[in-house]
Amino acid sequence: MNTIKIRQMQLSDLQLALSWAALEGWNPGINDVESFYAADSSGFFVGELDGEPIGCISIVCYDKTFAFIGLYIVKPEHRGQGYGTQIWQNAWQQMTQRLDLNRCSVGLDGVVEREETYRRLGFIPAYRHIRHVYELKDSGVVPSSVIPLANVPFAEILRYDAELFPASRPQFLQSWINVKGGYAYGVMESANLTGYGVIRPCHQGFKIGPLFAESTEIADCLFQALTSHAGKQPVFIDIPDVSPAISVLRQRYQLQPTFTCIRMYCYQTPVIDSDRIFGVTTLELG
């Protein structure tokens, strides 16, 4: 087995990695690259063989206590030769130097077929994310209770998001809620955010993520507002299978499951209120 050169990605490398993700059928957003890079520019790695990029991984460290693994890809013609293991081990070593291993969590969303592989690496299953597709029957409207997220103070968005994500992620969120071609909405009660959601254009249709809300009713209003921008294109949303609202949304919108992956954690498992998570932000970054 040849040894490959592994280095941190530049922005152009990350664009290439996302194009590989599209070929894998993961359907990333067409404008994800800047938001991903803003989350942690040191957390993306590419492996090169004779100067040619052949594989990649991301291990985004949001702070010293939470990191998330994604974009673990080796080009098909180079699989089964140990290159993926080299990329993983190199990135993992660099990640451990950035985290407090006594109190950290490391998460990933793995395909079902790789569950045992990740178990052997120390990851424990928490729940599953089920990707659903919504085929719009007609153009929706934005309910009167919903406002553009741009009208909500960013500090309030950060406060609410941190209740439902294991770490504060200001650099990522600042970019994500303003992603090109996307839309973001929130619901306020008095001066408090009680739910927000983002929809963005993807290689196929649109994808909602996150969709966080205090109740199914608020999530429903946000879902209507977000999908009103999709036209006749399909809308995808990744819903935790432990969310009590999954059956309600499935029935109300005739959502069809299309794909399942497993959320797994290494070291510690963060305590997250899944009752308020109606759609995860992204399978690549958590």
Side-chain angles (χ1 to χ4, degrees):
M1 179 182 66
N2 294 324
T3 300
I4 59 175
K5 176 184 177 182
I6 301 166
R7 60 174 175 81
Q8 288 185 353
M9 291 188 194
Q10 301 298 315
L11 201 61
S12 58
D13 299 311
L14 182 51
Q15 189 67 68
L16 175 63
L18 288 171
S19 72
W20 290 348
L23 292 174
E24 293 293 320
W26 298 352
N27 197 27
I30 58 177
N31 298 310
D32 282 355
V33 60
E34 290 187 2
S35 298
F36 279 24
Y37 207 64
D40 176 16
S41 60
S42 300
F44 300 90
F45 303 89
V46 59
E48 296 177 328
L49 182 65
D50 299 326
E52 175 198 356
I54 65 163
C56 61
I57 196 172
S58 62
I59 303 187
V60 168
C61 295
Y62 289 96
D63 57 21
K64 288 185 174 295
T65 65
F66 186 64
F68 200 86
I69 300 173
L71 294 175
Y72 186 31
I73 304 170
V74 174
K75 294 179 69 175
E77 62 269 30
H78 296 287
R79 292 174 185 170
Q81 301 174 58
Y83 299 129
T85 300
Q86 290 183 51
I87 293 170
W88 174 284
Q89 291 176 344
N90 180 279
W92 187 269
Q93 181 179 20
Q94 296 197 43
M95 178 204 73
T96 57
Q97 296 172 6
R98 302 175 64 195
L99 295 177
D100 181 348
L101 299 183
N102 292 318
R103 59 189 185 99
C104 74
S105 299
V106 181
L108 59 79
D109 280 303
V111 295
V112 175
E113 295 79 7
R114 297 294 300 277
E115 178 181 354
E116 289 305 316
T117 300
Y118 293 124
R119 280 181 180 270
R120 288 194 294 270
L121 292 168
F123 286 83
I124 304 298
Y127 50 85
R128 297 190 175 206
H129 280 127
I130 303 176
R131 177 162 296 173
H132 293 77
V133 60
Y134 173 54
E135 301 285 354
L136 283 75
K137 305 299 187 294
D138 49 46
S139 298
V141 296
V142 178
S144 59
S145 61
V146 174
I147 62 174
L149 204 60
N151 296 346
V152 179
F154 186 63
E156 177 61 14
I157 300 170
L158 268 183
R159 179 201 66 78
Y160 188 74
D161 185 78
E163 293 183 3
L164 296 168
F165 193 79
S168 181
R169 45 181 180 173
Q171 293 84 5
F172 169 77
L173 274 186
Q174 188 70 68
S175 178
W176 192 252
I177 64 178
N178 294 293
V179 65
K180 182 180 178 182
Y183 297 87
Y185 288 101
V187 174
M188 298 283 284
E189 289 184 7
S190 299
N192 296 320
L193 193 64
T194 58
Y196 89 92
V198 178
I199 190 170
R200 70 196 198 281
C202 294
H203 287 258
Q204 179 187 1
F206 285 78
K207 195 177 292 182
I208 291 175
L211 181 57
F212 296 160
E214 296 300 295
S215 68
T216 303
E217 291 72 28
I218 293 172
D220 185 31
C221 289
L222 288 166
F223 189 88
Q224 291 178 49
L226 295 167
T227 55
S228 71
H229 295 285
K232 296 295 184 181
Q233 297 190 61
V235 176
F236 299 89
I237 183 170
D238 299 311
I239 308 175
D241 67 351
V242 292
S243 172
I246 189 169
S247 60
V248 177
L249 292 176
R250 272 182 177 172
Q251 184 174 2
R252 187 170 298 173
Y253 294 102
Q254 298 180 327
L255 302 180
Q256 299 299 315
T258 65
F259 169 76
T260 299
C261 63
I262 304 174
R263 171 61 60 92
M264 306 179 76
Y265 292 105
C266 187
Y267 299 111
Q268 300 181 27
T269 296
V271 178
I272 300 295
D273 185 1
S274 58
D275 287 4
R276 296 189 285 164
I277 299 177
F278 295 83
V280 68
T281 305
T282 159
L283 299 183
E284 291 79 24
L285 266 66

